[in-house]
Amino acid sequence: MKKLAKSKLFEVWSIIAKEHELFVPVEQEGESVNFSLWQEGEHVNLDHLKTNVSPKQIVFPQTETYLKFKTTGKKLSLENVGGKQAPYVLFGVRPCDAQSFALIDNVFLTEPVDRFYEERRNKGILVSLACSNPEETCFCQAFGITPGEAPQGVDVATWDMGTFLLWKPQTAKGESLTNQLNGVLEEALAQDEQDCQELQQDIQQKLKDLPLAKIDPKQITGDLKEIFDAKIWDEYSSRCLGCGSCTYVCPTCHCYDIRDFDGGKAGERFRCWDSCMFSEFTLMAHGNPRKTQKEKFRQRFMHKLVYYPNNNEGVYACVGCGRCMDKCPVNMNIVKVIKKLGGEKA
């Protein structure tokens, strides 16, 4: 293990930024924090637990142009402009958000592979930061995530030890980045590693005291049709505005639409995030198979809690970050659905 003095973070970021695009949690106007491209003078906030939007926007951008086209007379020319060109480092990702990448990988890296997404994932180095102080809306442990550790696939795991970050490379890309920073990183002492173990134990104890500690989707019983026909969908969907806030802040939602911008003799084809909560989602030439908000609302939660785990060896399409609890304008969220379906320990 290595350790990185916080007083040297600027130096580290400067070194990384010479060869990579560096994305860090940046505090913006209105005190919101989001992952943004690092620049000297930015207010980087590693203490803020949850960014406003998850870092999935780095590997799966909210909008992405695939190609540009133009016509000259009867001739049509196409230009491929999609994909990620520069290598990048994503620094300070929380374990729940890091775990969400594995879920999105399962969608985009399964045949037929999404080549633009694959390119972005391959060019990235992921540096996680353990959650020393989980918040009241956190329930990642319900999905098998340990906030004091880094999930598989993280290249470098770090822990906030007060005046320094403990630094542990976990992959070949993580080792390469560590070697690049050898002039700044120091060797960790045995006492540092012992302190880290105590920190992890402290985090586990804090989890037990959180308000959502008893959330457990595995407690949801009943066959698929029974859950599908449950009265909860009438009751809860009547309050849903269909605004899509929950899907846009969710680290695991991955639905998108493909549109053309027609500028006359030139235009663009682009991908943009979509939401199963929107009225035109699943709209086809013959009409929409999900006409009511109840059907849209039910689809969102059935997908995350029933369909996805049924088809993916019990893995749920939620990482318990709690952003949907923070952002829903009518206080409706997945925790209320899980509880109503019986997903809570006694």
Side-chain angles (χ1 to χ4, degrees):
M1 275 192 179
K2 304 279 186 178
K3 62 183 190 180
L4 166 61
K6 288 185 176 177
S7 60
K8 295 185 177 180
L9 277 169
F10 178 83
E11 184 178 353
V12 162
W13 291 332
S14 298
I15 294 172
I16 294 174
K18 288 179 181 176
E19 296 185 8
H20 304 79
E21 290 183 348
L22 171 62
F23 295 94
V24 291
V26 172
E27 190 165 318
Q28 300 161 327
E29 291 184 10
E31 298 184 351
S32 68
V33 177
N34 278 314
F35 279 89
S36 299
L37 193 62
W38 179 79
Q39 299 178 64
E40 186 176 344
E42 295 281 17
H43 182 193
V44 180
N45 189 339
L46 293 178
D47 296 327
H48 193 82
L49 189 68
K50 283 182 276 192
T51 50
N52 197 43
V53 179
S54 83
K56 83 173 178 187
Q57 62 177 321
I58 308 299
V59 296
F60 175 41
Q62 186 168 351
T63 62
E64 181 176 26
T65 300
Y66 280 2
L67 59 85
K68 295 182 178 179
F69 54 87
K70 65 178 181 180
T71 57
T72 305
K74 294 182 178 180
K75 183 180 179 182
L76 172 65
S77 58
L78 306 175
E79 179 187 3
N80 186 345
V81 296
K84 182 72 175 171
Q85 303 302 318
Y88 66 93
V89 173
L90 195 48
F91 193 107
V93 177
R94 300 297 181 176
C96 59
D97 287 334
Q99 183 63 39
S100 75
F101 290 171
L103 291 167
I104 305 176
D105 286 352
N106 194 37
V107 175
F108 289 125
L109 299 183
T110 300
E111 290 293 344
V113 173
D114 185 307
R115 299 301 177 193
F116 289 163
Y117 178 85
E118 181 184 47
E119 190 173 40
R120 287 181 181 276
R121 288 289 279 135
N122 289 341
K123 289 190 174 178
I125 298 176
L126 195 60
V127 180
S128 73
L129 177 59
C131 303
S132 301
N133 294 293
E135 295 178 350
E136 290 189 348
T137 54
C138 294
F139 58 106
C140 65
Q141 72 275 23
F143 301 101
I145 298 167
T146 306
E149 298 177 1
Q152 187 175 5
V154 165
D155 298 302
V156 177
T158 71
W159 292 264
D160 187 341
M161 306 303 295
T163 58
F164 64 90
L165 300 182
L166 203 58
W167 179 283
K168 180 184 178 184
Q170 299 194 140
T171 67
K173 286 197 290 187
E175 292 283 1
S176 176
L177 181 65
T178 302
N179 291 336
Q180 186 183 351
L181 301 172
N182 262 343
V184 185
L185 299 175
E186 303 171 44
E187 290 295 331
L189 306 174
Q191 183 61 50
D192 296 327
E193 297 188 27
Q194 177 63 35
D195 290 345
C196 184
Q197 291 177 11
E198 293 177 5
L199 171 66
Q200 290 174 313
Q201 293 169 3
D202 180 59
I203 294 170
Q204 286 302 110
Q205 185 57 48
K206 288 176 179 174
L207 289 178
K208 295 177 182 176
D209 297 333
L210 290 178
L212 303 180
K214 293 184 178 180
I215 293 296
D216 182 6
K218 290 185 174 61
Q219 301 292 320
I220 298 175
T221 57
D223 61 27
L224 189 149
K225 189 174 187 312
E226 184 180 349
I227 300 173
F228 188 86
D229 292 333
K231 293 181 179 178
I232 172 183
W233 310 121
D234 291 296
E235 178 185 353
Y236 282 8
S237 65
S238 65
R239 294 167 55 186
C240 178
L241 303 176
C243 67
S245 296
C246 52
T247 56
Y248 273 54
V249 299
C250 177
T252 69
C253 280
H254 50 264
C255 290
Y256 63 88
D257 196 5
I258 293 179
R259 299 267 181 163
D260 284 346
F261 169 72
D262 186 357
K265 294 184 177 179
E268 296 183 358
R269 173 160 293 181
F270 63 96
R271 169 162 68 185
C272 56
W273 290 357
D274 204 347
S275 170
C276 54
M277 308 298 266
F278 291 163
S279 60
E280 293 188 353
F281 191 82
T282 63
L283 178 63
M284 293 174 275
H286 82 286
N288 198 326
R290 298 190 200 120
K291 295 181 175 60
T292 67
Q293 197 57 35
K294 170 190 171 182
E295 292 167 316
K296 302 176 198 305
F297 184 91
R298 177 173 57 193
Q299 169 60 26
R300 172 174 168 75
F301 295 107
M302 287 290 286
H303 172 74
K304 290 187 175 296
L305 301 171
V306 181
Y307 303 147
Y308 193 92
N310 282 355
N311 293 311
N312 293 279
E313 301 179 340
V315 176
Y316 295 89
C318 176
V319 292
C321 70
R323 287 187 178 89
C324 58
M325 299 179 68
D326 295 331
K327 303 301 180 186
C328 179
V330 295
N331 195 27
M332 183 52 63
N333 55 69
I334 195 169
V335 167
K336 289 188 175 181
V337 173
I338 293 174
K339 286 183 176 180
K340 194 70 173 181
L341 291 175
E344 191 171 24
K345 298 173 186 172

